[in-house]
Amino acid sequence: MDQKLKSELTRQLILNESFKLFYENGFKTTSVDKIMKATNLTKGAFYHHFENKKALALAVIGLKLQKRVYEAMVAPLYGSGDALEILKTIFSVRLKSFTVYEKQHGCPTNNFINEIGDHEVAYQNALKRIIEEWKSALVYVLDRGKTEGSVRKDICSKSVAVYLISAFEGVRGLRKLYDNDLILDEYVSGLSLYIKQISA
Amino acid sequence: MDQKLKSELTRQLILNESFKLFYENGFKTTSVDKIMKATNLTKGAFYHHFENKKALALAVIGLKLQKRVYEAMVAPLYGSGDALEILKTIFSVRLKSFTVYEKQHGCPTNNFINEIGDHEVAYQNALKRIIEEWKSALVYVLDRGKTEGSVRKDICSKSVAVYLISAFEGVRGLRKLYDNDLILDEYVSGLSLYIKQISA
DNA sequence: TCCATTATATACTAGGTAGTATGTTTTTTT
DNA sequence: AAAAAAACATACTACCTAGTATATAATGGA
């Protein structure tokens, strides 16, 4: 029972270092060699745990990215509290509380989407799952707001969800170009206007 | 006078093929060899016209990308007509009229931003210029709308501009994951809600 | 027409790439 | 404890990479 544990630990180590390097340098330009150098293991270990680099990418997307987005952007939407307040918190407070490192490198999921979202169906589906889960949670909280009377009933929840996600991912990309938070402040101000519009 | 012309033609050929290959396969994974194969020229020609791959990237960004964004997204904003109608056209009609190829591969500029926006200051500045030019045009048309009475005077033009750009670039990335236009339709619907909010 | 310059081609280097083949060590099972 | 299996290491292949060195061809000016 010790071997299984240590093996799983190694797998997680590879996944963690991969995520980090993919995030900092991109997926396609991060080699297996670089990853294994970061883990202090060798290629033998890598190809024992993963069939190839594509399998690693799918694991990083399905495990690391999906989990991160779920914890940061999805789970809070299922919490209690005023629907619109939750939205404001998720999309603005969270954004400003990112570290410089996170602001500089953007959204890990969005980076993957833009880098390999048009390459393989397997990648598309894995990434799509993350977005759809997020979108569903947004629709849920918007619908709840409707029944509770805080959100206008004549708006399309799905459309608002897509627009919110789009703007968030968009600005996380744009922020890479700057060395200050001005664009984030403007985004937040633009967002608050949008939230006012959907409020009843 | 013939040599200068032919030389410039070759340079443009390299730029065009580079743009296309960068767009389809990404910047970092497109090699100089592949580019020159596409031009039916050789490496000698490439390094005669460009100092290195970085110089090529800066030329593609500063010439090809900047021009494309200007023609498609900036120039129309300086045209005549109702400010809000122009915004609707730019951000929704244009989006739906993209070819399948363009929907699949997203926005060339946004692809660059996400791929190398966090790599080098030179890249950042070249890309920033495109976004700032776009943002200025949006601010212009929003301010015009304010004086003409079609746009609410209490909104921050810069913030709205940033939010509009963010959402547009965001959804162009997300669309890569799908094989239909549903997400674009939802974006358009979400956008029209936003435009309603800023109208007087 | 000769010469200089520019434009392009060819051949090469040094290093990086995914993946494989084959080891050796460690752990589990019998 | 022996055998089997799992975990990891080492060495290798075939190919791609940016960039350089040096050649040849085309053009423009005198």
Side-chain angles (χ1 to χ4, degrees):
Chain A
M1 279 297 129
D2 192 38
Q3 193 178 35
K4 277 246 168 173
L5 193 92
K6 275 183 65 178
S7 181
E8 180 58 25
L9 240 58
T10 298
R11 201 184 136 88
Q12 291 299 324
L13 177 63
I14 296 173
L15 284 173
N16 287 336
E17 295 300 327
S18 298
F19 168 81
K20 191 184 166 199
L21 290 171
F22 291 165
Y23 184 47
E24 291 172 5
N25 310 312
F27 166 65
K28 287 186 285 190
T29 46
T30 298
S31 67
V32 175
D33 282 320
K34 284 177 194 160
I35 294 168
M36 297 318 285
K37 199 161 196 174
T39 63
N40 283 321
L41 294 169
T42 59
K43 239 168 187 182
F46 179 85
Y47 283 98
H48 176 75
H49 287 279
F50 299 94
E51 194 189 337
N52 48 36
K53 205 188 166 190
K54 180 179 171 182
L56 170 69
L58 291 175
V60 168
I61 296 170
L63 298 176
K64 303 290 298 176
L65 297 187
Q66 182 106 33
K67 186 162 179 270
R68 285 174 59 97
V69 172
Y70 183 84
E71 286 173 357
M73 309 302 285
V74 176
L77 295 174
Y78 289 112
S80 59
D82 180 65
L84 292 180
E85 278 306 314
I86 292 178
L87 286 180
K88 268 183 223 164
T89 305
I90 291 293
F91 284 102
S92 68
V93 178
R94 186 139 262 144
L95 189 72
K96 292 291 312 258
S97 69
F98 279 127
T99 63
V100 173
Y101 170 80
E102 289 169 313
K103 288 169 182 168
Q104 200 152 31
H105 292 103
C107 169
T109 297
N110 196 45
N111 291 352
F112 262 88
I113 290 174
N114 278 291
E115 187 178 357
I116 58 174
D118 52 351
H119 279 16
E120 295 218 30
V121 182
Y123 294 146
Q124 287 178 350
N125 288 333
L127 292 163
K128 210 186 300 182
R129 219 165 289 134
I130 300 176
I131 298 300
E132 289 298 322
E133 185 181 46
W134 189 5
K135 186 176 159 190
S136 295
L138 283 168
V139 168
Y140 165 81
V141 83
L142 285 166
D143 285 346
R144 180 164 73 80
K146 285 182 189 173
T147 64
E148 290 172 358
S150 60
V151 173
R152 272 172 53 185
K153 287 192 176 64
D154 64 328
I155 58 125
C156 170
S157 298
K158 283 185 184 178
S159 297
V160 172
V162 165
Y163 204 72
L164 287 171
I165 292 174
S166 295
F168 183 82
E169 295 297 7
V171 84
R172 289 216 65 191
L174 294 177
R175 175 61 175 79
K176 293 185 187 183
L177 304 180
Y178 302 86
D179 51 8
N180 62 68
D181 281 357
L182 180 57
I183 195 161
L184 294 188
D185 293 329
E186 289 168 339
Y187 160 88
V188 166
S189 162
L191 164 73
S192 76
L193 207 66
Y194 196 56
I195 291 184
K196 263 181 216 149
Q197 173 72 350
I198 64 178
S199 68
Chain B
M1 282 293 131
D2 193 37
Q3 194 178 32
K4 277 244 169 172
L5 192 94
K6 275 182 70 179
S7 182
E8 181 58 27
L9 241 57
T10 298
R11 202 183 135 89
Q12 291 300 323
L13 177 64
I14 295 173
L15 284 173
N16 287 336
E17 295 300 326
S18 298
F19 168 81
K20 191 183 165 199
L21 289 172
F22 292 164
Y23 183 47
E24 291 172 4
N25 310 313
F27 167 65
K28 288 186 285 190
T29 46
T30 298
S31 67
V32 175
D33 283 320
K34 283 178 194 159
I35 294 168
M36 297 319 284
K37 197 162 197 173
T39 62
N40 283 321
L41 295 169
T42 60
K43 241 172 184 177
F46 179 85
Y47 283 99
H48 175 75
H49 287 278
F50 298 94
E51 194 190 336
N52 48 35
K53 204 188 167 189
K54 180 179 170 183
L56 170 68
L58 291 175
V60 168
I61 295 170
L63 298 175
K64 303 289 298 177
L65 297 186
Q66 183 107 32
K67 187 160 178 267
R68 285 174 59 97
V69 172
Y70 183 83
E71 287 174 356
M73 309 301 285
V74 175
L77 295 174
Y78 290 111
S80 60
D82 180 67
L84 292 179
E85 276 307 312
I86 292 178
L87 286 179
K88 268 184 223 162
T89 304
I90 292 292
F91 284 102
S92 67
V93 177
R94 184 139 264 141
L95 190 74
K96 291 291 311 261
S97 70
F98 280 129
T99 63
V100 173
Y101 170 78
E102 288 169 313
K103 288 171 183 167
Q104 201 152 31
H105 293 102
C107 170
T109 297
N110 194 47
N111 291 352
F112 262 87
I113 290 174
N114 278 291
E115 188 178 356
I116 59 174
D118 52 351
H119 278 15
E120 295 218 30
V121 182
Y123 294 147
Q124 288 178 351
N125 289 333
L127 292 163
K128 210 187 299 183
R129 218 165 290 136
I130 299 176
I131 299 299
E132 290 298 323
E133 185 180 47
W134 188 5
K135 185 177 159 191
S136 295
L138 283 167
V139 168
Y140 165 81
V141 83
L142 285 166
D143 285 346
R144 181 164 72 81
K146 285 181 188 171
T147 65
E148 291 173 357
S150 59
V151 173
R152 275 172 50 185
K153 288 193 177 60
D154 64 327
I155 59 124
C156 170
S157 298
K158 283 186 184 177
S159 297
V160 172
V162 165
Y163 204 73
L164 287 171
I165 293 175
S166 296
F168 183 82
E169 295 297 6
V171 83
R172 288 215 66 190
L174 294 176
R175 174 60 174 80
K176 293 185 186 182
L177 305 179
Y178 302 86
D179 52 8
N180 61 69
D181 281 357
L182 180 58
I183 195 160
L184 295 188
D185 293 330
E186 288 168 341
Y187 160 88
V188 166
S189 162
L191 164 72
S192 75
L193 207 66
Y194 197 56
I195 290 184
K196 263 180 215 148
Q197 173 71 351
I198 64 178
S199 68

